[in-house]
Amino acid sequence: MGWNSWNLFACQVSDAVVRAAADSMASNGMKDAGYAFINIDDCWQGKRDAQGNIQGNEKFPNMKALSDYVHSKGLQIGIYSSPGPKTCAGYEGSYQHEEQDARSYAAWGFDYLKYDWCSASEVYKSSDMPAIYKKMGDALQATGRPIVFSLCQYGVNSVWTWGARVGGNLWRTSGDISANYESILALGFAQNPGLERYAGPGHWNDPDMLEVGNGKLTLNENRLHFSLWSLLAAPLLAGNDLAHMSPEVLGVLINPEVIAIDQDPLGVQGHRLWEEGPIDVWVKPLADGSKAVGIFNKGDPQDPVTIQFREIGVGKSARIRDLWEHKDLGHFEGSFTANVPAHGVVLLHVL
Ligand code: GLA
């Protein structure tokens, strides 16, 4: 759980933007809710020095000081590079400097690396991916500093089958998300059936960073997005302006009951139970034997939706709690019927 600069700031990211995000996370309830990482995405890199050491650009005058600052807030800090000569935004990549860059990140005190394929496609074949990612995975290991390794190659070559083996802790399962409802539906609901079996503690599918609070997403759409990512046991990397967000958006990002679904220690990614027209029902098994169930309405207003307890694998009678309303709804026999708002979700804890 953390924040990443790309979705909103893109190449407008700077030392000041990163410090402001850390200040906000440490004081607005996000840190207490479990958010831990402040991740710089693309556009921080400057030129290499005479020894080939990567430097920050003019917007990042002192990477070590920035990392110290984020750590002083009780948070961890992440950085970004590419195995290619250039990053996606055209900045210096790690090509032929992999070990040296890993050592720089560790020396600066970084805790997380997102490694984005980008221009690597110009120097390597797609089938080289596992070896190329392993090279950086090994280089990070060799630094002796624990550094989370985030693979970003848009889900090609079934990365979930080899991502963990090359040292990956998470891997993107798709192309880039953008700040609109259609994109969230396309990425979130398109998780290949069966992908859930590759996720688990230490190695997760990543349907991309959150757009909660970005664009023109409504409260229902933000809740749908955050609920689906939580049922997917996805990394929760906020991508909005933490220093200027509405209480409503913050309320979505720090809903403790929804975060508990995402972070449940069993670490099982939820899966789709059924889909019918605009209705999509997902279930996630939890450590204590209970289930989280999301009933989504992707479209216009619909008739109430009924889920049968036998299809979600709970007994005849179950206790149900609504995780957005923070309300115990009571005991139910055999089934439960919900009114699901348009472009929205009813997220339930079924015990
Ligand atoms: C790619 C990645 C994005 C972001 C940009 C930065 O598109 O998928 O998440 O890192 O590059 O240039």
Side-chain angles (χ1 to χ4, degrees), residues 96-278:
Q96 293 179 337
H97 293 274
E98 293 82 359
E99 285 84 6
Q100 191 176 15
D101 285 357
R103 283 195 298 273
S104 294
Y105 307 149
W108 292 336
F110 275 77
D111 308 292
Y112 186 115
L113 172 68
K114 173 175 169 183
Y115 206 42
D116 193 350
W117 190 246
C118 303
S119 74
S121 58
E122 292 162 22
V123 289
Y124 299 119
K125 297 193 297 291
S126 169
S127 57
D128 294 334
M129 275 182 184
I132 300 310
Y133 274 95
K134 184 167 188 301
K135 186 171 197 174
M136 182 51 94
D138 290 348
L140 294 175
Q141 287 280 332
T143 67
R145 184 177 177 85
I147 299 177
V148 174
F149 190 28
S150 160
L151 276 47
C152 178
Q153 41 77 288
Y154 337 113
V156 307
N157 292 345
S158 305
V159 59
W160 38 87
T161 63
W162 53 266
R165 178 162 50 81
V166 301
N169 300 113
L170 60 157
W171 46 79
R172 283 269 298 277
T173 51
S174 66
D176 289 11
I177 198 165
S178 48
N180 62 72
Y181 182 59
E182 291 67 33
S183 171
I184 287 156
L185 294 188
L187 266 58
F189 288 109
Q191 297 295 301
N192 302 0
L195 216 62
E196 62 276 1
R197 97 173 75 105
Y198 299 102
H203 49 94
W204 307 99
N205 292 309
D206 173 13
D208 207 356
M209 304 168 294
L210 297 168
E211 293 283 11
V212 171
N214 285 342
K216 296 196 172 74
L217 296 174
T218 64
L219 176 61
N220 278 333
E221 291 168 348
N222 280 324
R223 285 180 171 181
L224 175 149
H225 180 18
F226 199 71
S227 301
L228 182 55
W229 264 238
S230 294
L231 287 164
L232 291 168
L236 298 178
L237 292 169
N240 60 324
D241 183 355
L242 303 188
H244 304 96
M245 67 175 139
S246 67
E248 189 178 277
V249 166
L250 179 63
V252 172
L253 288 173
I254 65 175
N255 182 328
E257 299 193 73
V258 182
I259 290 173
I261 301 304
D262 180 76
Q263 297 286 313
D264 179 77
L266 189 61
V268 171
Q269 178 177 326
H271 63 276
R272 171 182 275 134
L273 208 54
W274 53 265
E275 183 187 13
E276 211 177 287

